[in-house]
Amino acid sequence: MNKMKDTILEVKNLTVKLDGEKIIEKLSFSVNPGDILTVIGPNGAGKTTLLRALLGLINYEGKIKWKKGIKVNYLPQGISKEKFSRMPISIKEFFRFKEKSDEKILSMFKEVGLDVGKEFLEKNPGNLSSGQFQRLLIAWSLIDDPDVLLLDEPTSGIDVGGEKTIYSLLKKMWSKTKITIILVTHDLNVVYAYSNRCLCLSKVSSCYGPPRKILTPKSLQKIYNMEIKFYKHDHR
């Protein structure tokens, strides 16, 4: 049987160099349809670089093969309320790039927990609360029904309570659509609760597999070069 029939993404011996320095070296892993893959590791380990390579935004060596016809959406780091507040743009105008009707947009908002009316569409995204803004971005990422969603630190800039809400929202959307999610995060405590696969990146060691199998105190100490304490959450 052709293995690619059972996978949505196959990566083999991926190597990425930036300014002559190897950021990722000979990395191999695969992603199946419906997986929630969490990518963790210390700063500078190449997590964001990996996402950019998967999207073909930077040069790389090795093999990256997506299943034919797959639609991939990407929510990068650094999209902030502050940037939006400096632009004369409304939420409606922001979503116009997706070519969706007001009704479709409001329906998507409801799906992500924004129970709002049409007047909400006239607001500047920069005037929303942190939680509303993150939900807005997730709605933006999901409204055109992608097969795969790549998220780079989707809870950056919001408090711990807000983080849990956003991760719970993503798990809810996954439960409904079985969308494949590749998620970069620094929060080890959510890996058990929201992922069925984990990819650990570091300069000295990498590991890939089910979180309960590969995330041991010994492996984390090797990856982060320090003792890491975390809690195994079960959100069922």
Side-chain angles (χ1 to χ4, degrees):
M1 181 182 291
N2 184 351
K3 184 181 177 184
M4 196 59 198
K5 286 183 179 178
D6 301 320
T7 61
I8 204 166
L9 169 66
E10 188 175 6
V11 177
K12 286 188 176 180
N13 296 320
L14 176 65
T15 298
V16 181
K17 298 177 183 177
L18 297 177
D19 298 324
E21 179 186 359
K22 283 185 180 179
I23 306 299
I24 297 173
E25 185 173 10
K26 294 183 178 179
L27 177 67
S28 297
F29 66 95
S30 62
V31 180
N32 293 326
D35 275 352
I36 300 179
L37 171 65
T38 303
V39 183
I40 63 171
N43 290 332
K47 301 184 295 296
T48 296
T49 298
L50 171 62
L51 296 189
R52 296 180 67 202
L54 295 181
L55 292 164
L57 300 177
I58 55 176
N59 294 327
Y60 62 87
E61 299 172 9
K63 175 184 177 183
I64 297 175
K65 186 175 182 181
W66 289 97
K67 188 174 181 179
K68 189 175 181 180
I70 288 300
K71 183 175 184 177
V72 183
N73 279 359
Y74 174 43
L75 188 59
Q77 243 182 332
I79 302 178
S80 66
K81 293 197 305 170
E82 288 70 25
K83 289 181 180 178
F84 272 104
S85 65
R86 294 193 292 268
M87 295 186 292
I89 187 172
S90 68
I91 292 170
K92 182 175 181 176
E93 290 167 334
F94 177 47
F95 274 81
R96 189 172 292 164
F97 293 105
K98 296 287 188 175
E99 298 181 346
K100 301 297 180 182
S101 66
D102 290 359
E103 289 71 25
K104 175 67 175 177
I105 296 169
L106 291 171
S107 176
M108 189 72 246
F109 285 170
K110 193 170 184 179
E111 289 286 336
V112 301
L114 287 172
D115 195 2
V116 295
K118 279 196 172 185
E119 67 281 356
F120 186 81
L121 298 176
E122 304 305 322
K123 291 187 176 184
N124 182 291
N127 294 330
L128 304 181
S129 69
S130 295
Q132 285 179 323
F133 184 71
Q134 292 304 117
R135 289 173 186 269
L136 178 81
L137 294 181
I138 292 173
W140 161 267
S141 304
L142 293 173
I143 196 168
D144 47 357
D145 301 316
D147 301 292
V148 183
L149 186 57
L150 272 55
L151 300 162
D152 194 352
E153 297 283 357
T155 62
S156 60
I158 60 178
D159 59 30
V160 174
E163 286 184 3
K164 291 179 68 175
T165 299
I166 294 301
Y167 286 125
S168 295
L169 169 61
L170 288 170
K171 189 63 177 285
K172 174 189 171 186
M173 300 305 294
W174 172 86
S175 298
K176 184 173 181 179
T177 65
K178 291 301 184 285
I179 186 174
T180 303
I181 296 174
I182 301 177
L183 166 70
V184 169
T185 183
H186 281 288
D187 190 348
L188 296 177
N189 294 325
V190 305
V191 177
Y192 280 97
Y194 303 102
S195 310
N196 68 317
R197 288 289 183 272
C198 183
L199 175 63
C200 313
L201 295 180
S202 80
K203 296 291 187 182
V204 296
S205 177
S206 298
C207 57
Y208 168 73
R212 294 182 182 280
K213 183 176 180 180
I214 67 170
L215 292 186
T216 64
K218 185 177 180 180
S219 68
L220 289 172
Q221 185 168 4
K222 187 175 182 181
I223 291 165
Y224 287 91
N225 197 30
M226 65 177 69
E227 184 179 356
I228 301 292
K229 294 182 179 179
F230 66 102
Y231 301 94
K232 300 178 182 180
H233 289 287
D234 263 320
H235 292 193
R236 299 184 188 276

